[in-house]
Structure formats: C-alpha cells, structure tokens
Amino acid sequence: MPSLRRNLPAAILAVTLLGATAALPAALDEVARLFRGGKYDQARGLDPQAISSGRLGEGPLWGMRLAEEPPEALELARGLARNDDLPLAVRVQAALDGATVTEAQGRPSVALEFLRLLVDDAAPAQLPGEIFLRAGTAARTLRQHAEARHYLEQVAASDPAFAAAQYQL
C-alpha cells in the first residue's frame, strides 16, 4: 500500500480534480479516472503537456501536481510560483498548491514562504483573497500577529475570502 506521505501531492491533485470536473479536457478525465481508481503511477506516466489545455504554464503545473514525492512537487511549485514569465493565475495556483502541501505537513513557515512569493511580488488587487487569507492564517499560526493582520486586511470586500478573513481578524 503506498504511503500517505508519498502520495500527498496525489491526494491534493485528487481534491483539485474533484473540485474542477465540469470542463476538463479528455486527458484530465483520464487523470481523474486513474486517481479515483488509485492508479497513481499510471496517472503520473501521462504527459503533462497532453493533460493541459495548451495555456502557457499549465503543462508544468500538472507536472508538479503529478510529482511522485512531496519534495519534488514543492520544488516544482516554488519554481512555477517564482516564474514571472508565466500567467499570474498559474503562479497563484502553484503557490497555493505548495502552501497546501506544506500546511498538511505541519510546516506553516514554509507555507508562508510560498505565499510570500506572490504577496511580495504582485499588487494586492491582482491577487485572489485566498492568497492573503492563507498567508494571514499561516502567520497567525506562527504567532506573527501583526503580519497576520496585515495580510488579512488585504482581502477586498468583494472577494469570496473576505468573510473568512474578517472572521480571522
């Protein structure tokens, strides 16, 4: 039986796929089917470029999500989140995925590092509130209360994460 630690990126991918099954390309349907069946190695054997819709950065994003070992997935996530040549949406997703894995590992300081890659680089209005909410939550876990407040206050009132951010304040 595969270890949970080894399949942590796979578990996160499965949750991502289950939450976004409405308009998946046929290759993503195959990835979702393989993951539901526990056939992680087969899913990882698929070409990440074939899985993507062809948008810039999407192939490497799926490559990161299909990585076998958490350190490999995290290194790929870090590289994608830092890459200014990629669309901001890809960078955001890579940072969120990296933060999710490290939070699940009980490493909020590393999760915060992933989120800071964007918070320190982009204008707040360009980022989804979830980035600030998660950064604020991680900072609070680390007892960095002033920093947590700063991040949580960045969530716009029109953002879906606003109510959760206000609750955290």
Side-chain angles (χ1 to χ4, degrees):
M1 178 173 207
S3 74
L4 178 61
R5 179 173 179 245
R6 180 173 174 234
N7 285 312
L8 189 58
I12 291 167
L13 171 64
V15 169
T16 302
L17 288 174
L18 292 174
T21 55
L24 296 177
L28 284 182
D29 287 338
E30 177 66 6
V31 172
R33 185 187 68 74
L34 291 169
F35 268 77
R36 280 191 303 271
K39 298 178 181 178
Y40 305 118
D41 290 335
Q42 277 185 272
R44 288 186 181 105
L46 297 174
D47 177 15
Q49 293 299 336
I51 297 168
S52 81
S53 66
R55 289 187 294 250
L56 181 64
E58 199 171 77
L61 186 63
W62 282 108
M64 173 205 67
R65 289 176 171 168
L66 292 171
E68 190 168 341
E69 297 293 330
E72 177 188 0
L74 293 173
E75 189 58 37
L76 291 169
R78 192 171 282 110
L80 291 171
R82 284 184 177 145
N83 189 339
D84 291 333
D85 294 332
L86 294 176
L88 185 59
V90 170
R91 295 178 62 212
V92 164
Q93 193 57 58
L96 288 172
D97 287 355
T100 299
V101 170
T102 54
E103 286 168 346
Q105 292 173 331
R107 301 187 309 153
S109 62
V110 180
L112 187 54
E113 288 174 20
F114 271 100
L115 299 166
R116 282 180 179 149
L117 291 172
L118 295 177
V119 169
D120 295 344
D121 188 45
Q126 295 178 313
L127 296 172
E130 184 180 358
I131 292 283
F132 295 104
L133 173 62
R134 303 258 313 263
T137 303
R140 173 185 265 163
T141 300
L142 296 167
R143 300 191 186 281
Q144 299 170 359
H145 299 293
E147 187 174 2
R149 175 172 284 286
H150 170 74
Y151 290 136
L152 294 168
E153 288 174 343
Q154 299 299 312
V155 180
S158 60
D159 193 282
F162 180 74
Q166 291 298 299
Y167 177 78
Q168 293 290 326
L169 283 169

